[in-house]
Amino acid sequence: MRPDRSFFENNDVVSLAKRLLGCTLFTKFGETITAGRIVETEAYRGRDDKACHAFNYKRTKRTETMFLAGGHTYVYLCYGIHHLFNIVTSKEGEPDAVLIRSIEPLEGIEEMMKRRKINSLKPQLTAGPGVLSKALGLSIKMNAIDLTDASSPIGLILNDPVPDSSILAGPRIGIDYAGDCVDWPWRFCIKNNDYLSR
DNA sequence: CACGGGATCGTCT
DNA sequence: GACGATCCCGTGT
């Protein structure tokens, strides 16, 4: 089942990034369902994290979404091409988010391959924040959607937590500009999974 | 396998 | 007007 608001309003975005590993992310457009198991995430925290778009509570048109209550989507365009999908966390006014970096395909694999224009099942299908969005049909148009609304086309299913012993932590990707935050080990993945990025 | 570059556009200065 | 929380393909070894 979909977790409720209180799950997402957790103010510890780092532990939530770990908790989201193993959970199922899906989209349902009409009768078309595609889904995957989250295997890689990154935490971003507005309060003190220079890698976060909303660092130091910076409000712009784009970051406004991150200030919404936990449980909303935050989707933005990267390098003009890729739509990166995040889940906003913490209470309204506290701009934290978890970037979903990789999923392992579960359902609607044919549809995902069609969207990706790929004709064989390989990690490249959904391993990476840009390609996973494409596979699930996510785009910037789906910014600020409420995941706790049972009628929303995007949803999360809470599964059993992945034990710490199966989680690998490391520095985040592509944030060279983030000063002393570059080394924070806020990237998490499930050990030995075939669908990890890079 | 490591690398280098091109694609492409919303957002912020 | 510059630049990214990326990806893919080409080249060379």
Side-chain angles (χ1 to χ4, degrees):
Chain A
M1 282 306 298
R2 290 176 189 253
D4 61 14
R5 181 78 61 211
S6 63
F7 172 80
F8 295 108
E9 285 191 327
N10 186 335
N11 66 5
D12 183 352
V13 66
V14 174
S15 63
L16 209 42
K18 288 193 268 187
R19 182 65 186 85
L20 287 173
L21 292 174
C23 294
T24 303
L25 180 66
F26 70 90
T27 58
K28 181 172 189 287
F29 304 117
E31 293 308 304
T32 307
I33 294 178
T34 49
R37 177 172 174 254
I38 297 172
V39 297
E40 183 175 344
T41 60
E42 282 179 3
Y44 288 88
R45 185 166 70 193
R47 185 173 74 242
D48 57 354
D49 172 17
K50 291 176 185 154
C52 182
H53 291 157
F55 168 59
N56 202 17
Y57 299 98
K58 185 169 82 164
R59 284 183 188 260
T60 65
K61 192 169 180 186
R62 179 174 65 160
T63 66
E64 205 57 40
T65 306
M66 294 187 74
F67 289 83
L68 296 175
H72 287 85
T73 62
Y74 171 46
V75 187
Y76 75 95
L77 192 61
C78 186
Y79 296 102
I81 300 176
H82 304 288
H83 301 253
L84 303 209
F85 178 81
N86 302 248
I87 298 176
V88 175
T89 71
S90 288
K91 297 209 166 158
E92 184 179 350
E94 200 60 46
D96 300 340
V98 176
L99 170 68
I100 309 300
R101 286 195 59 90
S102 287
I103 61 173
E104 176 186 336
L106 288 177
E107 203 178 327
I109 291 174
E110 291 296 320
E111 178 64 25
M112 290 197 270
M113 294 199 297
K114 204 186 299 176
R115 286 173 182 154
R116 291 277 290 111
K117 297 183 169 62
I118 280 180
N119 49 28
S120 68
L121 179 54
K122 49 186 172 184
Q124 207 178 308
L125 181 65
T126 55
V131 294
L132 128 203
S133 293
K134 193 160 188 191
L136 290 177
L138 295 166
S139 83
I140 197 165
K141 292 177 193 163
M142 293 152 207
N143 182 40
I145 286 180
D146 186 359
L147 294 177
T148 66
D149 179 353
S151 66
S152 99
I154 309 171
L156 182 81
I157 297 169
L158 202 54
N159 295 329
D160 290 338
V162 173
D164 275 347
S165 58
S166 302
I167 298 177
L168 208 58
R172 293 167 293 178
I173 305 295
I175 54 157
D176 302 338
Y177 58 88
D180 49 313
C181 303
V182 288
D183 297 323
W184 291 5
W186 284 10
R187 172 179 178 236
F188 304 100
C189 51
I190 296 179
K191 276 183 193 170
N192 302 320
N193 190 275
D194 290 334
Y195 287 86
L196 301 178
S197 69
R198 287 225 324 186

